[in-house]
Amino acid sequence: MGSPFEDYLNPDKVFEHYNFTKETPVPPDTSSRHLASILIVLLCCAIILENLFVLTAFARNSKFHSAMYLFLGNLAASDLLAGAAFIANTLLSGSRTMQLTPVLWFVREGTAFITLSASVFSLLAIAIERHVAIAKVKVYGSDKSCRMLLLIGACWVISLALGGLPILGWNCLGHLDACSTVLPLYAKSYIRFVVTIFTAILLAIVALYVRIYCVVRSSHAELAGPQTLALLKTVTIVLGIFILCWLPAFIILLLDTSCPVRACPVLYKAHYFFAFATFNSLLNPVIYTWRSRDLRQEVLRPLCCCGPRVRQGHGGTPGHCLLPLRSSSSLERGTQMPTSPTFMEGNTVV
C-alpha cells in the first residue's frame, strides 16, 4: 500500500474531486465572474491599506505601545494578512484551480483560512480582555504585556493548527464520498469540526459581551449616563458586524456537511458568502479605532500630510504634519483607570 500522501503532487486529483462534487468542475470565465473577482481584489486592497494605516499608527506613536494595543495590532495584522491571502485565493481560483496540485490547493485554502480564523480569534481575545478589564474592574498596564503576548501567540498557534489539519491528513483524498462540496478536497468531518469551533467562539463572544452589558447596566450605577450608552453602542456594533459577516458562511458550511453530493445548488455559490465574510476584516479597524479620538487622528495623520502642513510650536520641527490631540488616548485611559469604577467616554472601546 502506498503512502497516503503520494497523491499530494498528482494534479489530476483536484479535477477528480471537483468533477465528483460539482456539476461544472471548471467554471466558465464569464464577464460577471471577472467583475466579481475584480471587486473582491479591490475590497482586499482596501483591507490591506486600512490595516496598514492602523499598524503604522501603532508603530509610530509610543503612546500606542501599551499592552492593550498589542491586541489591536494583532487584529490589524491578521486582517491585513487575510486580505492578502484572499487576493491570492481569488487569483488562483476558477480555471486556474485545475492547474494546482493537491498540496498547492491545501496551501491556497489553508492560508486564507489561517488568516481569517486568526482575525476571529483576535476578536475573542479582545472580548476576553475587555471582560476582565470592565466586568472585574481590573486595571491592566504595560506590566501585563507578557500575558497579552501569550494570548496573541495562542491565537496564531490555534489558527495554524486548524488551518493545517487538512494538509496533515484530515482530508478526503481517496474517499470521494466523504468530500465537501464547497471545498472538494476537505472532508465533511473536518468542515463540521470547524463549524463547531467557530460556533463556540461566536457563543463565547456573545456571552462575554452580554456579561459586560449586565455589569455596566446593574453593577455600577454611576455608569448609567452617556458613557453607558456609548459603551453599549460599541458592543452592539462589534457583535452585530461579527454576526452579520460570519453567520452566512457558517450556515453554508453547516449545510455542506449535511447535503448529499450535488443536492444543494446554493453550495456552488459559497464563494460569495466567504467574500462577504471578509467585510469583517474591513470593518474591524473602523470599529476598534473610531471610538478612540487619538488613534483616529494618528491613523489620519498621513492624509493630513498630503494637505497644508502645520508648524509645530515651542521648538518643534518646522513643517511637521500634526493633528491637535484634544485628549489622551481612550484606550490608554482604559489601561490607566483609577481603582474606582469610573469610565470616561474613551473607555467605551471594547
Side-chain angles (χ1 to χ4, degrees):
M1 181 179 295
S3 169
F5 300 102
E6 64 183 5
D7 291 331
Y8 277 36
L9 300 179
N10 184 356
D12 295 331
K13 282 295 179 179
V14 174
F15 179 82
E16 177 185 351
H17 282 250
Y18 274 74
N19 187 50
F20 180 81
T21 59
K22 299 181 182 296
E23 293 180 345
T24 305
V26 182
D29 290 329
T30 62
S31 58
S32 60
R33 185 176 183 87
H34 284 300
L35 178 60
S37 297
I38 291 173
L39 293 177
I40 291 173
V41 170
L42 291 177
L43 170 65
C44 293
C45 288
I47 291 173
I48 293 173
L49 183 62
E50 183 184 59
N51 286 281
L52 186 60
F53 271 110
V54 172
L55 289 173
T56 302
F58 287 158
R60 183 174 49 203
N61 195 327
S62 60
K63 180 182 295 184
F64 303 128
H65 292 176
S66 61
M68 185 57 198
Y69 285 103
L70 293 176
F71 277 126
L72 293 179
N74 182 65
L75 178 61
S78 59
D79 287 336
L80 187 152
L81 293 175
F86 207 71
I87 287 178
N89 190 291
T90 301
L91 296 179
L92 292 175
S93 296
S95 59
R96 296 182 182 88
T97 300
M98 298 302 113
Q99 303 172 14
L100 301 176
T101 62
V103 67
L104 292 178
W105 190 93
F106 287 134
V107 170
R108 185 191 75 175
E109 300 298 336
T111 302
F113 183 80
I114 288 169
T115 53
L116 288 173
S117 60
S119 177
V120 176
F121 281 116
S122 296
L123 290 174
L124 177 62
I126 291 175
I128 293 173
E129 176 61 23
R130 290 296 83 196
H131 175 264
V132 173
I134 296 176
K136 296 184 179 301
V137 197
K138 189 174 181 179
V139 178
Y140 290 102
S142 58
D143 59 327
K144 298 294 183 180
S145 59
C146 180
R147 182 177 61 84
M148 306 291 184
L149 290 174
L150 288 176
L151 281 176
I152 290 173
C155 289
W156 285 100
V157 169
I158 296 174
S159 298
L160 287 169
L162 287 177
L165 286 175
I167 200 172
L168 294 177
W170 196 350
N171 55 63
C172 63
L173 288 176
H175 304 280
L176 291 175
D177 292 337
C179 288
S180 160
T181 299
V182 175
L183 300 167
L185 272 67
Y186 280 177
K188 286 187 176 182
S189 58
Y190 171 74
I191 298 295
R192 188 177 299 109
F193 172 76
V194 169
V195 171
T196 302
I197 293 295
F198 278 95
T199 300
I201 291 175
L202 174 60
L203 293 176
I205 293 177
V206 170
L208 287 171
Y209 282 127
V210 167
R211 169 64 177 164
I212 293 173
Y213 174 90
C214 293
V215 168
V216 172
R217 293 288 295 178
S218 62
S219 297
H220 307 297
E222 60 269 30
L223 297 181
Q227 295 82 12
T228 298
L229 298 179
L231 173 61
L232 296 181
K233 181 180 179 180
T234 301
V235 172
T236 301
I237 293 173
V238 171
L239 193 57
I241 292 298
F242 180 82
I243 295 176
L244 178 65
C245 291
W246 281 103
L247 188 58
F250 292 162
I251 293 174
I252 282 293
L253 290 176
L254 186 61
L255 181 64
D256 186 23
T257 63
S258 58
C259 251
V261 175
R262 301 188 182 184
C264 300
V266 68
L267 297 179
Y268 302 142
K269 304 296 183 181
H271 53 281
Y272 291 112
F273 294 89
F274 289 109
F276 182 72
T278 62
F279 277 101
N280 191 52
S281 296
L282 182 72
L283 296 175
N284 281 338
V286 176
I287 297 171
Y288 286 97
T289 64
W290 200 254
R291 306 296 292 174
S292 169
R293 182 183 294 110
D294 287 1
L295 180 57
R296 180 169 68 252
Q297 291 175 336
E298 189 65 33
V299 168
L300 295 177
R301 190 179 299 277
L303 300 180
C304 164
C305 292
C306 297
R309 294 184 178 272
V310 180
R311 292 183 177 272
Q312 183 179 11
H314 306 291
T317 303
H320 182 65
C321 181
L322 290 176
L323 287 172
L325 300 182
R326 297 171 54 190
S327 65
S328 61
S329 171
S330 58
L331 283 179
E332 193 71 24
R333 291 201 302 269
T335 60
Q336 297 177 355
M337 294 187 299
T339 54
S340 61
T342 302
F343 288 73
M344 304 300 291
E345 178 185 359
N347 298 118
T348 60
V349 180
V350 178

